[in-house]
Amino acid sequence: GENVEQHPSTLSVQEGDSAVIKCTYSDSASNYFPWYKQELGKRPQLIIDIRSNVGEKKDQRIAVTLNKTAKHFSLHITETQPEDSAVYFCAASIRGAEYGNKLVFGAGTILRVKS
Amino acid sequence: NAGVTQTPKFQVLKTGQSMTLQCAQDMNHNSMYWYRQDPGMGLRLIYYSASEGTTDKGEVPNGYNVSRLNKREFSLRLESAAPSQTSVYFCASRNRGFATSGNTIYFGEGSWLTVV
């Protein structure tokens, strides 16, 4: 079935350094790729997303890149801060009963920013 | 505007008991979802409803049933709870297709379920 693989599972960086999380997907029809941040005990919240008609999107310290040919996309966080510590999930839209109706999530990356 | 609201927030069940998780959204969204979250396994789709009156299985539907009561409400039922169903459950909703700019999926606050 369709799946999304996410690496690494844990990532520790020093405050101020950059963090990169990578995901690969299997469904060539996927056209929407969001990233969610989940703090302990809270709901996942969207931080950035990208659609298949663009290769890169940036929002302040966060950027996402997409390579449709290779079927992988990445999250880049620059100048990391302690409040960036959380679990990050990537996801890809999957063709369902209605085209692009479902999201399949990666297993998550625990990011720790050390001060 | 509360977004996605789910109840209860915490529940302990005995093996074999039944219960229903309730979810409601006030954003007039068409699609609604139930996910479960287990350590190291991300969010896995249990069931979803693309629109009022329709439901479809996700990745892990066994042991669950759903009802899309109306456009606002989407409930998840465990008929005979098992310890393997101990998890955090998230309800979510979305308006239209992901290809439409500005549409994404919004999650409720989660329901922590323990089956003993």
Side-chain angles (χ1 to χ4, degrees):
Chain A
E2 305 95 346
N3 70 299
V4 175
E5 294 190 2
Q6 182 172 347
H7 299 280
S9 56
T10 60
L11 178 60
S12 289
V13 300
Q14 203 66 37
E15 182 178 359
D17 287 350
S18 296
V20 180
I21 302 170
K22 298 180 179 180
C23 289
T24 59
Y25 60 97
S26 59
D27 187 350
S28 57
S30 295
N31 64 353
Y32 174 68
F33 308 92
W35 286 88
Y36 285 83
K37 176 183 180 182
Q38 187 180 31
E39 297 176 347
L40 190 62
K42 300 291 182 65
R43 75 184 87 189
Q45 295 204 308
L46 180 76
I47 55 171
I48 195 167
D49 58 12
I50 192 168
R51 287 173 172 81
S52 58
N53 56 344
V54 298
E56 184 174 0
K57 184 177 179 180
K58 191 173 182 180
D59 183 3
Q60 298 182 342
R61 296 187 296 109
I62 296 172
V64 58
T65 58
L66 171 64
N67 183 328
K68 285 218 74 179
T69 303
K71 291 193 282 188
H72 65 71
F73 56 112
S74 300
L75 177 71
H76 305 254
I77 305 174
T78 58
E79 302 172 24
T80 54
Q81 300 166 4
E83 51 265 38
D84 293 331
S85 297
V87 181
Y88 291 81
F89 292 98
C90 64
S93 64
I94 298 295
R95 192 186 299 268
E98 175 183 303
Y99 179 71
N101 194 51
K102 298 189 290 185
L103 281 182
V104 175
F105 285 81
T109 296
I110 301 171
L111 174 63
R112 296 191 184 94
V113 180
K114 297 176 286 187
S115 56
Chain B
N1 187 337
V4 181
T5 304
Q6 56 182 109
T7 58
K9 194 168 179 68
F10 300 99
Q11 183 73 47
V12 178
L13 285 178
K14 293 182 179 179
T15 297
Q17 284 186 317
S18 62
M19 77 158 296
T20 299
L21 297 174
Q22 307 286 354
C23 177
Q25 50 89 10
D26 61 2
M27 297 177 281
N28 201 35
H29 284 173
N30 290 312
S31 299
M32 297 186 73
Y33 307 81
W34 276 104
Y35 285 89
R36 61 176 288 173
Q37 183 175 31
D38 303 291
M41 302 191 74
L43 292 145
R44 292 182 293 168
L45 183 64
I46 305 171
Y47 270 94
Y48 69 101
S49 170
S51 61
E52 184 180 353
T54 68
T55 62
D56 209 345
K57 295 179 180 178
E59 303 166 76
V60 288
N62 292 343
Y64 305 94
N65 284 302
V66 290
S67 294
R68 183 73 183 267
L69 305 171
N70 47 55
K71 191 172 186 179
R72 288 187 65 247
E73 298 172 290
F74 187 40
S75 62
L76 178 71
R77 182 160 178 84
L78 286 71
E79 290 290 352
S80 179
S84 61
Q85 294 179 303
T86 294
S87 188
V88 182
Y89 291 84
F90 286 97
C91 179
S93 71
R94 176 178 64 80
N95 193 9
R96 296 189 300 276
F98 294 120
T100 304
S101 179
N103 284 318
T104 190
I105 195 167
Y106 296 91
F107 288 91
E109 292 188 331
S111 298
W112 275 254
L113 176 65
T114 301
V115 183
V116 298

